[in-house]
Amino acid sequence: MTNLILQSVLFVVLVVLLAWPLGRYLWKVMEGRKTWTSGIFVPVERLVHRLARIDPEEEMDWKQYLAAVGIFSAVCFLAVFALQLLQNLLPLNPQGMSGLSWHLALNTAVSFVTNTNWQSYSGETTMSYLTQMLGLAVQNFVSAAVGLAVLFALIRGFTRASMKTIGNFWQDLVRGIVHILLPLSFVLAILLVSQGVVQNFGDYQQVSVLQPFVSNGTTIASQTLPMGPAASQIAIKQLGTNGGGFFGVNSAHPFENPTPFSNLLEMLSILLLPFACCFAFGYAVRQKRQGLALLAAMLVIFVACLAFALYFEQSAGNMEGKETRFGIVDSSLWAVTTTAASNGSVNAMHDSFTPLGGLVLLVLMQLGEVVGGGVGSGLYGMIAFALMAVFIAGLMVGRTPEYLGKKIEPWEMRMAVLVILGPTLTVLLGTALAAVYPGTSAALANTGAHGFSEILYAFSSAANNNGSAFAGLNANSVFYDVALAVSMLVGRFVPIAATLGIAGSLAGKKLVPVSAGTLSTNNLLFVGLLIFVVLILGALSFFPALALGPVAEQLSRIR
Amino acid sequence: MNIRKTLVRSLLMLLVLTLLCGVLYTLAVTGVAQLFFPRQANGSIIQKNGTAVGSSLIGQNFTDPGYFWGRPSATADYPYNVLASAGSNLSVTSGDEAAAVQARIAYLRDADPGNEAAVPVDLVTASASGMDPDISVAGALYQAGRVARARGLAADSLAKLVAEHTQGRFLGIFGEERVNVLELNIALDALARQ
Amino acid sequence: MNRRMKSNGALTGRMLLRAVGDSFRKLAPSTQWKNPVMFVVYIAAILTLVFYFSALKGASDTDPDFILAISLLLWFTVLFADFAEAIAEGRGKAQADSLRRAKRNILAHKLDRPDFEARSVDVDSERLILGDFVLVLAGEQVPADGDVVVGAASVDESAITGESAPVIREAGGDRSAVTGGTTVLSDRLVVRVSSMPGDSFLDRMIAMVEGASRQKTPNEIALQILLVALTIIFLVVCATLLPYSVFAVAQLGRGAWVSVTSLVALLVCLAPTTIGALLSSIGIAGMSRLNQANVLAMSGRAIEAAGDVDVLLLDKTGTITLGNRQATAFLPLDGVEERELADVAQLSSLADETPEGRSIVVLAKEEFNIRARTLGQSSIVFVPFTAQTRMSGVDIDGRRIRKGASEAVRRFVEEQGGAMDAQCQRIVESIARSGGTPLVVARDAEILGVIHLKDIVKHGVKERFEDLRKMGIKTIMITGDNPMTAAAIAAESGVDDFLAEATPESKLAMIREYQRKGHLVAMTGDGTNDAPALAQADVAVAMNTGTQAAKEAGNMVDLDSNPTKLIDIVRIGKQLLMTRGALTTFSIANDVSKYFAIIPPLFLGIYPALGALNVMGLHSPQSAILSAVIYNALIIVALIPLALKGVKYREVPAAVLLKRNLLLYGVGGLIAPFLAIKAIDLLLVAFGLA
């Protein structure tokens, strides 16, 4: 019990302490200010621009920005899609993996481009090294950087006044990758290798086992150990809230997450950038407390969910689907962390969590991935909720609402509503479709209420770009591959488009000066209100579905 | 807004970034890893008499009463099938999971008659990866009597062996205390030979 | 006074009756369509009715009586919403009726040139167009809005303002506007028509109070978007429950799909019907409250903006100080007799009809017994005060006598080679420092002395401004006084800032400057030269006594012509927004309890264990759903008074207001329905209805 609290508290404190300076650095980099690393990274940044023939000074309005995001993402999708279909014809394929089916390739390409990293496959039996490093690992960087770019476009909406433009997408994209994601990943990758994460281009290794055994009449005398450039990809999948494992069981795989120390590093990496975004936001709008308020709201929900999950798992002594080196505490801590952030990597099997422990994970995703959420996307999602909170609170104090000095009018409301509506409706409708789709129950590992939870989890995860799964669901079928791909696309690009819409409109507005009549958005009252709005919108949207899933399972269990 | 221009830029940008994040970054990490951590980067292989007998990170299936057994594995085809790495994904409220746990308890009891100690939970629940290299210290000690009997060793020498192979928490705080089954069993073989 | 307008505040039996009738009239789909949230209920009501009839034929998943009960309750929900709107409109309609009585078609004497002697043709008042000249005789109604171009007359404007005392309307100056429908009591006027038929002040007033031209304001639209979004979510939540239950039944191999009637009931309960039903009433009621304050808004937008205003430009006179500054002393310069100064001052003020001017005449009489003279000489020319010269006086026998602000008089004497000496400066400054107004008197190039005018700050304004400050509203005093005088009064009255020696241009510049910084500015004005500033201000209240130009430029007209009204207008604006916010919060918070009421019976056939969620211990599945639906309908009626009256508003900082309203409507909204639904359930059981 003491250790449980100590681990949890230390983890939260550590991640916040690390996120703070990183947030400051993030802000400086994205605003093009000088930092101690500028000497190395600015030339790289310039080189990239020159090679890609981009004028980083060219300003874009929100529609141009959105078009750039959209077209770039489409190009990325096609590249990854093609790479998977053709991997058998391409080099760096020592295991001779064949090309993927169109639907699995489609699902995976969408999944990595949307920062979801839902995996209907196991990396070690499906993907060639080339696909992993040129396709998937690159998208891990790019999709996270797109999230950062959109966030900073939104931030410019707040900091600029009476302007049409919100920055340059290419510059934002490259800055995020060159100054932040690449160096952090490099350091993390090396640390992970030191713990035993593999990093090589060798063939899978055959080793004889200490005690051969007979299974179904066959003597098993050896093991084939998967190899590959894993550490470099795992580092960015954690930092970029991607979560797509190099190996099938993700960070439960000993080669992906070998020790408690690697586990701690990977957990910290999950929340590091989402939290740093909050600090960066505070610095960028010149009111640190505004960033802290959003972070505080996230932390309160995070800690509450963590407490519930730990309680449910620990009191059940549930070690099913958990690894010994992590135990119940680190497994629950990871599960809450990875669903709070839209990471989705796992170090334990969520499907085998207790019903209510699993419910906590479902809820964290269904809240819209705003408790940390994705790199960039978590914060812009939270800001959409803040606009809602400000709107309702503004009315209650008799002012047309404003946030950070910008008036919230019909356009902003329409867009903020879209940010929230997009994923929410996709989850509900996708689950409904799957529930009545013929033959759907054949894909389930469990029946009854838990079976329903598996479907609900899949769509909650996809539409909120999380990527984790109740892995009992066998999702590699035409129906699931396509339905989940559509969910991921809606869950990613509807909020992006709406966020950029907000950014464009806000940038054009005047700044309203603060007075005593202005609703403060950096005090406890507002934090409380924001939490209330996030929770009530989530609760009202998903209460019935959750009642039919984990709640029914819990209440009907026979023990 | 020129769509064609943006398309060309997107292509170029993706190419440049692929070069940077896909090729250069991966090669740089691999280079440093191979230079400074060659053993870890290549799978932490355990060599015994010049042949690889496994990885210290990947569990193996032990069924002989004279070995410590690892966690139950739910991998397809046979236990500890590394390329089919998976957990059971069973709901813990389902009868299936409860039945599996009961069967494992019974099996452990059968294999070790007279051992009335409570069965540690990690010995009867499937791990997440299906190749968990570790068991809890309690899990190892629970089996010490059976192994000692099968090997004709003193039970307390095995307890000592378990203690030697117990890995602590990181900084005494993070993770769980655990015993690496493969390493323990290799040491057990060595002990038995003496 | 204002009997007519104020009497509409109370609801009469006749109005209630009319509202009931209107509620049914509003059931037309074309009307329902305009309110998306209630339209969903409307469709649900129709659907359940269809279910009922098909149930009678045996095709049903539920007991037909239950379906009928739900359907009836949904129809009541729709009717209650209509009633809420009708009752809010009722007040406006009553008001519009009496206005219409004033607007009759009459024969107008159309002139071919602006002259009493011009040839006149009688035409129908409807046919008058902009620019026509009409003659209006005593006892006749003014046929159209316009400006008096010839003559002066007393006019009864009670039809518009409710004020029975007649007012003077005369050619030129700031009292030249006349309104169609008012009656000339004495004398006669030539009026230049200033409006097109159908677009007169009266027409617009009728349209506004009736709510016919009521357009949705940006804030209302934004709220509507939120409500529609919630409705869409709940629509999908409820619609998806059917496939979910189908799945569950298939998985378990037992149980029954959820009943569609229950799903419809759940949808109606979850959709934000409370605020959806009351939203338009809140808007109409806000307008109506404004009307009761005798202020006429030309757009709903203006009221909402009033809630946002954070800079108030207040005219010193009448708002901050009692209207009249009184002359209290004549302070002659060395070498001038006090009596001589008083004599000249009186002379300069004889034609000055302002209260200050009159007070000088009065003081001269009191102190030196100088009586008003009849000025028969032909060489007398009165020089009226203008905002540009800032002086007034007379030219008499070739001598030019002026009194005015010290700067203006200094310029006047310097133009003629004179100068203002140090002693005069001292006197001016000492008066100004004391908060008084120095009026310097000059005869040609010679300054004779200074008149001390004293301003009296109204009782209680200081506290009022303190309250406004707490609300985050900055008050700025506008005055023609010199900076020192202005500063003294500003300090005494507690305003945040002041604009001294204000001219129309400087007012306009000030408003623009504040707006540039993002503030929303409100002001009042009456004169034609206020028009540019009024047009620029976000909330511009024109005095009804003011000119047509001022009224055109403003977005509200204060029929009482009371400059302090601005503060009430701000309060009404805020109240309007707060009422919306409070009821929205309440409506959303209510949903939690409704889930707890409806979810357990909904899934009873599939997961009986979910009965554990029936925390209210409701009697039966049917009584649970009925209770929730009944609550949902009744809460609309229960909240109509609040919607009409507006939530309580106090002048406190935003955080305090928010905390209070969150507690009341947020937490209250979470808890209240638990109790109410339980109570309704108990009643249903007690009456054997469930």
Side-chain angles (χ1 to χ4, degrees):
Chain A
M1 186 68 192
T2 324
N3 176 262
L4 180 155
I5 293 169
L6 191 63
Q7 285 205 47
S8 310
V9 171
L10 262 181
F11 170 70
V12 173
V13 170
L14 263 177
V15 73
V16 171
L17 283 184
L18 289 170
W20 195 333
L22 181 63
R24 194 179 152 81
Y25 175 78
L26 180 59
W27 156 65
K28 283 191 169 176
V29 165
M30 296 306 281
E31 281 204 350
R33 292 170 178 244
K34 214 173 140 55
T35 64
W36 57 279
T37 57
S38 298
I40 316 160
F41 297 138
V42 170
V44 180
E45 186 189 323
R46 292 217 181 101
L47 185 67
V48 173
H49 286 314
R50 215 173 50 235
L51 290 175
R53 286 194 264 156
I54 277 155
D55 172 15
E57 300 305 311
E58 180 194 29
E59 283 278 326
M60 301 177 175
D61 66 28
W62 78 268
K63 287 180 184 158
Q64 292 169 330
Y65 204 104
L66 176 60
V69 172
I71 291 173
F72 181 64
S73 298
V75 167
C76 290
F77 162 79
L78 288 174
V80 180
F81 185 61
L83 202 54
Q84 294 174 93
L85 290 179
L86 304 175
Q87 67 175 2
N88 50 333
L89 309 173
L90 297 168
L92 267 182
N93 187 5
Q95 296 305 307
M97 309 278 190
S98 53
L100 276 67
S101 67
W102 68 268
H103 52 91
L104 181 56
L106 169 96
N107 181 282
T108 308
V110 168
S111 170
F112 278 74
V113 170
T114 56
N115 196 257
T116 312
N117 299 30
W118 170 270
Q119 295 169 294
S120 292
Y121 64 91
S122 275
E124 62 267 46
T125 53
T126 317
M127 299 291 178
S128 74
Y129 292 168
L130 189 80
T131 309
Q132 294 266 29
M133 61 185 268
L134 293 196
L136 308 186
V138 171
Q139 285 313 311
N140 280 351
F141 281 97
V142 168
S143 62
V146 166
L148 268 185
V150 172
L151 172 66
F152 275 85
L154 175 63
I155 288 177
R156 282 182 208 114
F158 287 109
T159 55
R160 292 182 176 181
S162 312
M163 276 177 77
K164 274 197 155 145
T165 59
I166 52 174
N168 178 302
F169 168 65
W170 306 114
Q171 187 176 49
D172 291 342
L173 179 78
V174 173
R175 278 182 176 159
I177 291 176
V178 170
H179 292 257
I180 294 153
L181 296 172
L182 267 178
L184 280 175
S185 301
F186 184 80
V187 174
L188 181 62
I190 301 301
L191 285 171
L192 290 178
V193 172
S194 80
Q195 293 301 300
V197 178
V198 294
Q199 177 75 19
N200 56 53
F201 288 97
D203 294 352
Y204 286 9
Q205 284 202 44
Q206 184 106 5
V207 296
S208 56
V209 295
L210 194 60
Q211 183 226 305
F213 62 98
V214 179
S215 172
N216 297 326
T218 324
T219 304
I220 310 293
S222 66
Q223 259 185 343
T224 305
L225 303 179
M227 293 287 139
S232 53
Q233 188 169 331
I234 290 161
I236 183 60
K237 79 138 188 206
Q238 296 303 100
L239 284 164
T241 59
N242 300 282
F246 193 85
F247 304 113
V249 288
N250 213 298
S251 282
H253 198 293
F255 276 168
E256 190 148 341
N257 186 9
T259 66
F261 179 49
S262 69
N263 190 63
L264 176 65
L265 285 173
E266 291 184 17
M267 280 201 298
L268 288 173
S269 314
I270 291 176
L271 279 175
L272 187 62
L273 274 165
F275 282 179
C277 284
C278 295
F279 287 107
F281 177 70
Y283 284 112
V285 300
R286 305 294 184 274
Q287 294 178 65
K288 273 178 257 177
R289 284 180 57 123
Q290 298 288 356
L292 289 181
L294 296 179
L295 180 64
M298 293 181 181
L299 279 176
V300 169
I301 301 178
F302 180 81
V303 169
C305 287
L306 181 59
F308 280 118
L310 278 168
Y311 171 76
F312 295 131
E313 292 306 300
Q314 188 75 58
S315 61
N318 180 15
M319 273 300 283
E320 182 71 34
K322 296 186 176 70
E323 295 279 291
T324 311
R325 59 194 180 284
F326 310 134
I328 293 174
V329 176
D330 273 5
S331 298
S332 308
L333 190 51
W334 180 297
V336 169
T337 302
T338 197
T339 46
S342 76
N343 186 285
S345 62
V346 295
N347 77 348
M349 294 299 114
H350 293 182
D351 214 348
S352 296
F353 268 47
T354 58
L356 297 182
L359 177 133
V360 171
L361 311 182
L362 266 168
V363 166
L364 274 169
M365 294 188 294
Q366 289 166 345
L367 294 181
E369 284 300 356
V370 294
V371 185
V375 172
S377 65
L379 186 57
Y380 64 66
M382 191 52 135
I383 290 173
F385 276 104
L387 295 185
M388 297 267 180
V390 156
F391 184 79
I392 292 170
L395 287 184
M396 278 197 287
V397 300
R399 294 256 299 206
T400 61
E402 62 204 48
Y403 185 56
L404 300 174
K406 298 283 187 159
K407 282 229 173 297
I408 307 308
E409 286 166 309
W411 173 259
E412 287 76 24
M413 275 313 277
R414 194 166 293 148
M415 294 297 112
V417 154
L418 272 182
V419 171
I420 294 159
L421 223 52
T424 300
L425 296 187
T426 310
V427 174
L428 291 170
L429 291 170
T431 308
L433 189 60
V436 291
Y437 190 79
T440 193
S441 53
L444 304 173
N446 293 279
T447 55
H450 195 83
F452 180 73
S453 301
E454 287 184 346
I455 301 177
L456 181 63
Y457 196 103
F459 283 93
S460 300
S461 172
N464 289 292
N465 296 150
N466 181 280
S468 66
F470 270 9
L473 179 77
N474 176 14
N476 185 16
S477 62
V478 176
F479 171 74
Y480 277 109
D481 278 339
V482 174
L484 291 173
V486 171
S487 304
M488 291 187 272
L489 284 173
V490 174
R492 176 70 166 180
F493 290 106
V494 168
I496 282 186
T499 301
L500 290 175
I502 294 174
S505 157
L506 289 183
K509 295 189 182 202
K510 290 187 287 192
L511 268 170
V512 181
V514 175
S515 78
T518 312
L519 176 81
S520 165
T521 53
N522 60 15
N523 56 13
L524 280 180
L525 185 65
F526 182 74
V527 171
L529 181 73
L530 180 56
I531 294 169
F532 179 75
V533 169
V534 170
L535 291 182
I536 201 154
L537 281 178
L540 294 181
S541 307
F542 294 105
F543 186 89
L546 293 170
L548 284 176
V551 176
E553 187 188 354
Q554 173 72 20
L555 292 174
S556 327
R557 79 192 187 287
I558 321 139
R559 273 280 143 128
Chain B
M1 191 73 202
N2 184 332
I3 296 207
R4 227 176 70 91
K5 207 168 86 184
T6 311
L7 204 62
V8 172
R9 287 177 173 185
S10 297
L11 268 169
L12 281 174
M13 183 56 95
L14 181 62
L15 278 176
V16 177
L17 291 180
T18 302
L19 186 70
L20 190 66
C21 308
V23 180
L24 294 178
Y25 162 73
T26 315
L27 290 179
V29 173
T30 312
V32 174
Q34 292 293 339
L35 194 63
F36 292 99
F37 306 104
R39 198 184 89 80
Q40 291 95 320
N42 295 311
S44 308
I45 305 295
I46 301 172
Q47 302 281 342
K48 201 172 124 192
N49 309 326
T51 54
V53 293
S55 161
S56 63
L57 296 178
I58 305 291
Q60 296 185 1
N61 192 30
F62 291 98
T63 51
D64 191 318
Y67 278 122
F68 287 93
W69 300 342
R71 300 277 307 272
S73 164
T75 55
D77 301 333
Y78 55 87
Y80 287 84
N81 180 356
V82 179
L83 288 185
S85 166
S88 73
N89 284 316
L90 289 177
S91 152
V92 292
T93 62
S94 72
D96 293 351
E97 199 261 353
V101 168
Q102 288 311 319
R104 288 167 192 147
I105 292 176
Y107 189 76
L108 281 169
R109 295 273 189 223
D110 278 355
D112 192 8
N115 185 350
E116 296 299 320
V119 180
V121 66
D122 58 308
L123 291 186
V124 294
T125 49
S127 65
S129 61
M131 50 189 169
D132 192 340
D134 306 311
I135 51 175
S136 66
V137 178
L141 292 177
Y142 175 84
Q143 302 180 53
R146 185 197 74 220
V147 175
R149 256 197 320 283
R151 296 260 183 172
L153 292 168
D156 47 338
S157 71
L158 287 195
K160 218 181 107 219
L161 197 68
V162 168
E164 279 167 17
H165 280 85
T166 299
Q167 289 171 277
R169 294 179 152 136
F170 174 63
L171 302 177
I173 298 168
F174 293 98
E176 297 292 336
E177 281 196 336
R178 66 216 185 270
V179 181
N180 185 303
V181 182
L182 180 61
E183 287 176 358
L184 180 66
N185 282 335
I186 290 173
L188 178 67
D189 280 348
L191 185 72
R193 270 195 301 275
Q194 280 171 12
Chain C
M1 60 193 262
N2 308 329
R3 278 154 289 117
R4 191 186 53 74
M5 302 290 273
K6 294 265 164 73
S7 68
N8 291 326
L11 291 169
T12 62
R14 220 171 60 85
M15 281 166 71
L16 282 173
L17 215 63
R18 180 149 96 172
V20 171
D22 283 346
S23 320
F24 284 95
R25 262 187 289 282
K26 281 171 187 284
L27 284 178
S30 54
T31 315
Q32 291 292 325
W33 172 245
K34 288 180 191 148
N35 185 340
V37 179
M38 291 317 293
F39 188 67
V40 169
V41 184
Y42 181 69
I43 295 294
I46 295 174
L47 261 182
T48 45
L49 209 55
V50 173
F51 292 162
Y52 172 64
F53 288 117
S54 64
L56 287 182
K57 289 183 184 151
S60 160
D61 51 2
T62 333
D63 172 18
D65 291 347
F66 174 68
I67 303 179
L68 181 65
I70 294 286
S71 184
L72 284 179
L73 285 170
L74 297 191
W75 282 113
F76 271 115
T77 312
V78 174
L79 282 174
F80 288 164
D82 292 342
F83 179 72
E85 192 176 78
I87 199 98
E89 285 168 350
R91 300 177 180 197
K93 281 200 176 135
Q95 209 169 327
D97 286 349
S98 63
L99 285 174
R100 269 208 197 86
R101 281 194 284 278
K103 182 180 149 44
R104 287 191 309 251
N105 271 359
I106 50 168
L107 281 185
H109 319 297
K110 188 177 160 193
L111 302 174
D112 49 11
R113 61 193 160 83
D115 191 333
F116 287 133
E117 310 312 324
R119 206 163 51 85
S120 81
V121 195
D122 283 0
V123 297
D124 193 273
S125 61
E126 284 274 288
R127 310 183 56 161
L128 291 173
I129 59 160
L130 193 79
D132 282 349
F133 295 103
V134 287
L135 175 68
V136 191
L137 302 172
E140 289 183 348
Q141 227 181 41
V142 179
D145 295 353
D147 291 308
V148 180
V149 282
V150 184
S154 64
V155 178
D156 173 9
E157 295 193 335
S158 61
I160 307 286
T161 63
E163 171 69 70
S164 51
V167 293
I168 302 295
R169 292 287 176 240
E170 59 192 348
D174 286 350
R175 299 193 197 292
S176 63
V178 287
T179 311
T182 58
T183 310
V184 174
L185 294 179
S186 66
D187 304 291
R188 54 184 185 163
L189 299 169
V190 176
V191 174
R192 186 180 169 280
V193 175
S194 62
S195 70
M196 293 302 280
D199 189 35
S200 69
F201 184 69
L202 205 58
D203 288 322
R204 275 184 292 155
M205 193 159 162
I206 291 169
M208 280 317 293
V209 296
E210 249 189 341
S213 68
R214 204 178 83 87
Q215 281 180 325
K216 284 195 179 123
T217 58
N219 182 265
E220 205 174 340
I221 293 170
L223 180 56
Q224 189 88 267
I225 290 168
L226 178 67
L227 298 182
V228 168
L230 286 172
T231 309
I232 292 174
I233 290 182
F234 293 131
L235 199 63
V236 173
V237 165
C238 294
T240 50
L241 280 179
L242 188 60
Y244 294 175
S245 76
V246 170
F247 175 83
V249 171
Q251 284 279 306
L252 298 171
R254 62 174 158 81
W257 301 356
V258 293
S259 113
V260 179
T261 307
S262 304
L263 280 183
V264 169
L266 177 63
L267 170 61
V268 170
C269 286
L270 292 178
T273 48
T274 313
I275 176 68
L278 296 172
L279 189 56
S280 71
S281 338
I282 294 169
I284 299 166
M287 191 77 86
S288 180
R289 279 199 298 278
L290 205 61
N291 291 339
Q292 282 166 49
N294 250 2
V295 175
L296 206 63
M298 294 302 161
S299 76
R301 211 175 273 246
I303 313 181
E304 232 168 55
D308 281 351
V309 157
D310 54 359
V311 175
L312 289 189
L313 299 191
L314 299 168
D315 268 328
K316 182 194 76 174
T317 312
T319 313
I320 297 168
T321 60
L322 291 173
N324 318 342
R325 278 180 302 193
Q326 306 276 336
T328 51
F330 296 109
L331 304 168
L333 298 189
D334 289 347
V336 181
E337 284 293 314
E338 193 178 348
R339 190 190 162 86
E340 186 189 0
L341 173 62
D343 186 58
V344 173
Q346 187 244 25
L347 202 57
S348 74
S349 306
L350 280 179
D352 185 350
E353 280 300 306
T354 63
E356 292 84 355
R358 281 198 295 265
S359 79
I360 292 169
V361 176
V362 170
L363 184 69
K365 184 187 165 206
E366 278 173 0
E367 299 218 337
F368 302 101
N369 205 23
I370 303 171
R371 294 190 166 277
R373 284 159 281 194
T374 39
L375 301 161
Q377 293 99 320
S378 55
S379 57
I380 283 193
V381 181
F382 290 108
V383 183
F385 178 89
T386 69
Q388 271 74 32
T389 61
R390 299 161 51 76
M391 290 187 303
S392 66
V394 289
D395 292 349
I396 182 165
D397 299 335
R399 310 205 66 172
R400 300 166 57 168
I401 295 172
R402 293 289 185 276
K403 66 172 200 298
S406 72
E407 274 311 300
V409 176
R410 177 215 285 268
R411 239 178 291 122
F412 173 75
V413 296
E414 280 171 356
E415 274 165 20
Q416 302 169 75
M420 184 176 278
D421 66 4
Q423 188 201 3
C424 178
Q425 295 267 27
R426 265 200 313 282
I427 296 172
V428 165
E429 277 168 29
S430 77
I431 293 172
R433 257 197 307 278
S434 71
T437 305
L439 220 49
V440 180
V441 182
R443 190 166 53 203
D444 295 332
E446 179 198 7
I447 291 177
L448 299 176
V450 186
I451 307 167
H452 187 167
L453 292 179
K454 227 180 186 161
D455 250 321
I456 296 145
V457 172
K458 277 186 170 176
H459 183 71
V461 289
K462 192 161 186 165
E463 291 74 17
R464 197 90 197 245
F465 294 147
E466 184 57 42
D467 289 342
L468 287 172
R469 204 163 13 256
K470 276 191 217 142
M471 292 158 52
I473 297 175
K474 195 170 168 163
T475 46
I476 294 167
M477 181 179 82
I478 304 291
T479 169
D481 296 340
N482 67 50
M484 238 177 309
T485 316
I489 297 167
E492 191 181 342
S493 60
V495 290
D496 296 297
D497 202 352
F498 60 87
L499 177 66
E501 292 172 347
T503 60
E505 293 76 27
S506 67
K507 271 197 228 181
L508 185 63
M510 186 174 205
I511 293 174
R512 287 210 172 121
E513 177 59 17
Y514 272 112
Q515 286 176 335
R516 200 184 53 74
K517 290 187 204 151
H519 294 279
L520 278 179
V521 183
M523 72 168 284
T524 57
D526 53 4
T528 299
N529 54 25
D530 281 333
L534 282 170
Q536 182 72 31
D538 300 285
V539 174
V541 185
M543 300 293 111
N544 190 46
T545 55
T547 60
Q548 203 64 37
K551 284 193 206 168
E552 291 288 338
N555 43 22
M556 293 190 194
V557 176
D558 177 15
L559 301 176
D560 292 344
S561 303
N562 171 5
T564 22
K565 213 42 113 23
L566 206 46
I567 297 169
D568 297 321
I569 294 172
V570 169
R571 184 178 51 74
I572 290 170
K574 284 196 178 291
Q575 226 184 0
L576 173 70
L577 295 176
M578 281 169 56
T579 310
R580 275 186 204 149
L583 290 185
T584 304
T585 311
F586 186 80
S587 194
I588 297 172
N590 271 204
D591 282 354
V592 175
S593 62
K594 292 173 187 165
Y595 264 136
F596 279 99
I598 298 183
I599 289 290
L602 205 56
F603 299 132
L604 191 72
I606 306 170
Y607 293 116
L610 285 177
L613 295 178
N614 182 6
V615 291
M616 286 172 268
L618 301 178
H619 174 70
S620 70
Q622 292 199 348
S623 79
I625 295 175
L626 283 175
S627 305
V629 178
I630 292 173
Y631 169 80
N632 195 53
L634 288 183
I635 194 69
I636 295 174
V637 182
L639 289 175
I640 289 177
L642 184 68
L644 296 187
K645 216 173 69 197
V647 302
K648 203 169 160 203
Y649 176 69
R650 275 184 298 180
E651 282 146 354
V652 289
V656 180
L657 262 183
L658 179 60
K659 208 176 290 175
R660 186 175 170 277
N661 286 334
L662 267 183
L663 219 66
L664 205 59
Y665 298 99
V667 179
L670 279 176
I671 299 167
F674 276 102
L675 305 175
I677 291 174
K678 177 69 185 170
I680 294 170
D681 183 67
L682 288 176
L683 283 176
L684 285 179
V685 174
F687 288 104
L689 293 169

